[in-house]
Amino acid sequence: MPNEGFLIGIDVGTGSARAGVFSLSGELVASDKQEISLHREGSTTFEQSSEEIWAAVGHCVRGALAAARIEAESVVGIGFDATCSLVLVGEGGASLPVGDPEHPERNIIVWMDHRAVDQARRINSGKHAVLDYVGGTISPEMETPKLLWLKENRRAVYDEVRHFFDLTDFLTWKATGSATRSSCTVTCKWTYLPHENGWDERFFRQIDLAELVEEDFVRIGQEVVAPGTALGSGLSEAAASDLGLAAGTAVAAGLIDAHAGGIGTVGVIGAPSENLAYVFGTSSCTMTSTPEPVFVPGVWGPYHSAMVPGLWLNEGGQSAAGAAIDQLLALHPASQEADRAARQAGKSLPEWLADRAMEAGCTSDSDDHLSAVVHLAAGLHVVPEFIGNRAPYADPEARAVICGLGMSREIDSLVALYVAGLCGLGYGLRQIMETQEASGAAVKRIVISGGAGQSDLVRQLLADATGKPVLSVSCEEPVLLGSAILGAVAAGSFSDMQTAMTAMTSPGKTFTPSEGSMVTLHQARFDAFCRLQSVAREIRQR
């Protein structure tokens, strides 16, 4: 195993940029974090600035290097991951406004932005063959509907764009000057067909984006490579100065953030195809790898080599997960009081509530007693679809349902609502898994990553709600590790991705589903979840 040099994994999420320094054995040496701002208008419009994000990346890379006390020259490889947000870049790298022309610095349409719902609906009405590879239905979270929205609503800006980038590809472009795209980004969010090595020209003509075809796709990507591929001549002089690293350091083609979590987890035990990667952050993503393509209605994919090279990927998830819990808690009268107490304790509100729940529901530290916490939510049910159902219904217009909430204004009632919300996320995950299994993509276990899923209580409730073991990995930052693995492959430290995954990941704790009466209880709650979801859909359709 290689034992010289260090790697840097860089992750840009919705609310922050993070960088981690790793050894070639996968040990996290040091990390740093920098918050980034999010401009929001109403419930559908979310924008960010690529200039701010790049500055935040530089800040946290320098911070991680300083904390690790290593020289820049000892870093052999860099990997990037980011949210699947759309970045507009004009002539000479200029930022172009995606909304208000008075704010050209806001040149990113964030992944969770739903301004293109109408465009997605019109694209879906065409029943295009390419949609077979996105679960049959394109989402407004994807980039093609957003491109069409820009053309129809900001035509002058649309015409001025020189590069439409997924955020990950923007970061690698800033780092190297290479406009090469990752097969992860353009396959999962742009309708690129890697198994055919190209774009579907007919599709773009039919949805009124023919100019992209006439330009030979130069603005959305002419060269596409697998994640982990070394780009250009490595880190440019300008980027090296920005990041405090050495010019020429290997830079890998990147991944969407959730997929980096997949790379940092699914190789930890057994074959990658046995494990479902569940990345639990602001939203959640589920990633299942199969040797052959599996078509699952309502689940994105199958995507060839979009995460693990050589394997097909099915991607599901929940449009809001950690964000859904935050929204749910904010509705309760006791939320402000609890938030003050959480801040005084130096914890986030969900962390503080998890501790309160364990105190109220547990008489020991065993997982059986963690499972007993579900009793706190007796009679209370939540379908936490605040901004739609990503999978398995691919319904962006779905909305949350809360059933059984009384008039209590006490913190104990807030704790119960928190537990019910976690169970609701678990039942949504079970729906996705059962839908995939019915189509031939079964898994043995869930491997979890993401900031919202770090609590033992959360992991045990997910195991109980889904009926599958939930496994953590030993690295406390598996998303950052996934990006560092990319850097290791680009640097030539490992021959391929699967070898690097095996060498750099190791298992943590396993949370086994409870048996007996707890199975009956969760089955009843799951049935209630499905009924509430169905009734809400029926009411909306009427």
Side-chain angles (χ1 to χ4, degrees), residues 327-494:
Q327 179 75 7
L328 180 69
L329 300 179
L331 300 174
H332 196 281
S335 62
Q336 292 186 357
E337 177 188 353
D339 189 55
R340 286 192 296 270
R343 282 188 275 109
Q344 289 175 357
K347 299 177 181 179
S348 70
L349 179 56
E351 288 174 327
W352 188 82
L353 290 172
D355 289 345
R356 287 286 298 250
M358 288 186 285
E359 291 172 5
C362 302
T363 57
S364 79
D365 292 332
S366 72
D367 287 345
D368 286 344
H369 289 278
L370 287 177
S371 295
V373 168
V374 69
H375 293 300
L376 298 177
L380 186 56
H381 304 273
V382 177
V383 181
E385 296 176 345
F386 288 96
I387 55 172
N389 178 286
R390 181 184 291 169
Y393 293 108
D395 181 3
E397 296 180 353
R399 291 296 178 264
V401 180
I402 303 170
C403 177
L405 187 64
M407 292 185 66
S408 172
R409 307 177 70 87
E410 305 301 319
I411 285 179
D412 286 348
S413 173
L414 178 62
V415 171
L417 186 62
Y418 170 66
V419 172
L422 290 176
C423 289
L425 290 174
Y427 303 138
L429 175 57
R430 174 175 167 177
Q431 273 190 335
I432 295 168
M433 295 173 68
E434 290 184 351
T435 301
Q436 291 188 153
E437 185 170 0
S439 296
V443 295
K444 292 183 177 180
R445 63 189 69 85
I446 300 164
V447 190
I448 193 168
S449 62
Q454 293 183 345
S455 161
D456 282 1
L457 175 64
V458 171
R459 293 169 178 179
Q460 186 60 48
L461 287 178
L462 289 176
D464 294 338
T466 61
K468 294 285 185 183
V470 172
L471 176 67
S472 62
V473 293
S474 61
C475 178
E476 62 189 46
E477 295 284 2
V479 177
L480 285 176
L481 174 59
S483 283
I485 288 171
L486 297 177
V489 176
S493 300
F494 297 95

Side-chain angles (χ1 to χ4, degrees), residues 2-10 19-31 61 64-79 235 244-246 248-252 480-481 483-494 504:
N3 56 14
E4 295 184 359
F6 294 90
L7 307 161
I8 292 184
I10 298 166
V21 177
F22 289 84
S23 70
L24 285 164
S25 62
E27 177 189 1
L28 177 61
V29 180
S31 64
V61 169
L65 279 174
R69 298 183 179 180
I70 62 171
E71 298 297 323
E73 290 74 18
S74 66
V75 176
V76 298
I78 307 166
L235 199 64
L245 294 170
T249 304
V251 177
L480 285 176
L481 174 59
S483 283
I485 288 171
L486 297 177
V489 176
S493 300
F494 297 95
M504 294 180 67

